[in-house]
Amino acid sequence: MTDVRPSDSVVSKLFRSEQGGHEQVALCQDRDTGLKAVIAIHSTALGPALGGTRFFPYASDEDAVEDALNLARGMSYKNALAGLDHGGGKAVIIGDPVVDKTPELLRSYGRFVASLGGRYVTACDVGTYVADMDVVAAENPWTTGRSPENGGAGDSSVLTAYGVFQGMRASAQVRWGDPTLRGRRVGIAGVGKVGHHLVEHLLADGAVVVVTDVRADAVERIRAAHPGVEAVASTDELIGAQLDVYAPCALGGALNDDSVRNLTASVVCGAANNQLAHPGVEKDLADRGILYAPDYVVNAGGVIQVADELHGFDFDRAKAKATKIFDTTLAIFERAAADGIPPAAAADRLAEQRMADRTPAESWLRPTVD
């Protein structure tokens, strides 16, 4: 066999990196509509890969492929710990959604997803919305995140916020011996679709809420509905404020060397994806005595919600499953304590264990023989 030398290429990462291990990557192009997309399937060990479609103006094609690979891998872990019979996948469409998104492009994308025969089930992500999924669904039966009028679950931020609240309750149980945020001071960075629902849950539970957002109108909406909610000018100011819980609900990378050093909160639990800016941050949190609820565990309510569409959406059934995020978060904290490792590492171990216990491409993928 010819010796293939390692490189920094995406192909090298796919086949030889520990971050790789993906089953399939599809590069999709339709010159007529301008579509350029990447569909990455990390694992189908638990069932068809499920994950959203991101529409983003990447600086390079290589950046788009790498993002799809990383996001797909993350979805495998998220779906495994959410108790879903789904593997992990993700798609990215390269372009500016404001300028480049058209119904024709979305329909073309839908046909590419359909060509995978159900190995990948798509949904919304950054740059795509419920109305877009309705268009994709016209060409692809393996589409979730659709509007209620088209048999979908609608806005998945509802159960995303609910799941984060359940993770926060579990964190309170471990930190203070009681699964409630009553009287606790909770700072939320980002009060958009998910964050504003989280505010409602916390206020109903008796928490004191402090918010910030780069969009002034998002903060004004919260303050108009709840004058008792405090607001600060920036995330840096929020991090440095006296808090019991810090909830990053905006961009990824929220937990970095500087923010961890300046945190006053003793619990971090939020909806943002990929909160750990780099490896080692989880240990820094643990060394400072800060309890970190892994993001992909507590923010899984949204994927639970869209996955339920495949069975004929029932909100109560999906909410009951999202409620179990409380138990899953507790189990991760218990595993972390028993193994002497940070919760993020414990979550990875539990997810990997569930995936390893199943044989890839089980009966869902095999043709039926009469």
Side-chain angles (χ1 to χ4, degrees), residues 210-272:
V210 188
V211 302
T212 193
D213 198 294
V214 294
R215 292 180 52 188
D217 61 323
V219 174
E220 289 167 3
R221 180 177 63 163
I222 296 293
R223 296 270 294 140
H226 307 287
V229 170
E230 301 176 36
V232 296
S234 68
T235 299
D236 287 343
E237 185 177 345
L238 183 68
I239 287 171
Q242 288 300 315
L243 301 173
D244 295 302
V245 181
Y246 173 52
C249 294
L251 299 177
L255 300 173
N256 54 42
D257 295 338
D258 291 336
S259 61
V260 171
R261 186 183 308 113
N262 295 326
L263 265 175
T264 62
S266 59
V267 169
V268 175
C269 178

Side-chain angles (χ1 to χ4, degrees), residues 42 101 166 187 330 343:
H42 177 260
K101 187 193 300 180
Q166 295 305 318
L330 279 182

Side-chain angles (χ1 to χ4, degrees), residues 39-271:
I39 303 172
I41 297 174
H42 177 260
S43 171
T44 57
L46 299 176
L50 171 61
T53 298
R54 180 165 295 188
F55 204 132
F56 190 78
Y58 291 94
S60 69
D61 296 342
E62 289 76 12
D63 287 350
V65 176
E66 186 156 9
D67 198 30
L69 294 176
N70 290 336
L71 292 167
R73 184 174 184 272
M75 288 306 303
S76 287
Y77 285 69
K78 177 181 289 192
N79 292 340
L81 286 185
L84 299 176
D85 291 329
H86 284 283
K90 205 82 172 188
V92 301
I93 298 175
I94 303 170
D96 183 343
V98 176
V99 176
D100 301 320
K101 187 193 300 180
T102 64
E104 293 75 22
L105 181 148
L106 291 172
R107 291 176 73 101
S108 176
Y109 167 69
R111 290 191 289 274
F112 276 112
V113 176
S115 72
L116 296 173
R119 282 178 54 78
Y120 168 61
V121 181
T122 195
C124 302
D125 196 78
V126 174
T128 60
Y129 303 91
V130 169
D132 299 327
M133 291 304 107
D134 284 345
V135 176
V136 171
E139 302 287 345
N140 172 46
W142 297 285
T143 304
T144 63
R146 297 162 294 155
S147 66
E149 295 77 14
N150 286 282
D155 182 7
S156 63
S157 65
V158 175
L159 287 188
T160 301
Y162 178 72
V164 172
F165 177 61
Q166 295 305 318
M168 207 176 284
R169 290 181 62 245
S171 301
Q173 172 71 53
V174 171
R175 176 59 74 210
W176 300 296
D178 194 6
T180 178
L181 283 304
R182 180 172 300 279
R184 301 295 172 187
R185 192 171 169 84
V186 182
I188 303 177
V191 285
K193 289 195 297 183
V194 175
H196 89 268
H197 288 302
L198 183 58
V199 168
E200 301 283 348
H201 290 301
L202 289 167
L203 291 176
D205 197 35
V208 177
V209 178
V210 188
V211 302
T212 193
D213 198 294
V214 294
R215 292 180 52 188
D217 61 323
V219 174
E220 289 167 3
R221 180 177 63 163
I222 296 293
R223 296 270 294 140
H226 307 287
V229 170
E230 301 176 36
V232 296
S234 68
T235 299
D236 287 343
E237 185 177 345
L238 183 68
I239 287 171
Q242 288 300 315
L243 301 173
D244 295 302
V245 181
Y246 173 52
C249 294
L251 299 177
L255 300 173
N256 54 42
D257 295 338
D258 291 336
S259 61
V260 171
R261 186 183 308 113
N262 295 326
L263 265 175
T264 62
S266 59
V267 169
V268 175
C269 178

Side-chain angles (χ1 to χ4, degrees), residues 280-317:
V281 175
E282 70 281 3
K283 184 177 184 302
D284 293 339
L285 288 163
D287 288 346
R288 286 207 58 212
I290 298 170
L291 184 65
Y292 171 62
D295 49 40
Y296 72 80
V297 176
V298 301
N299 69 14
V303 73
I304 289 170
Q305 182 168 330
V306 298
D308 196 77
E309 286 185 35
L310 299 172
H311 309 285
F313 182 62
D314 183 297
F315 182 81
D316 291 337
R317 178 176 61 202

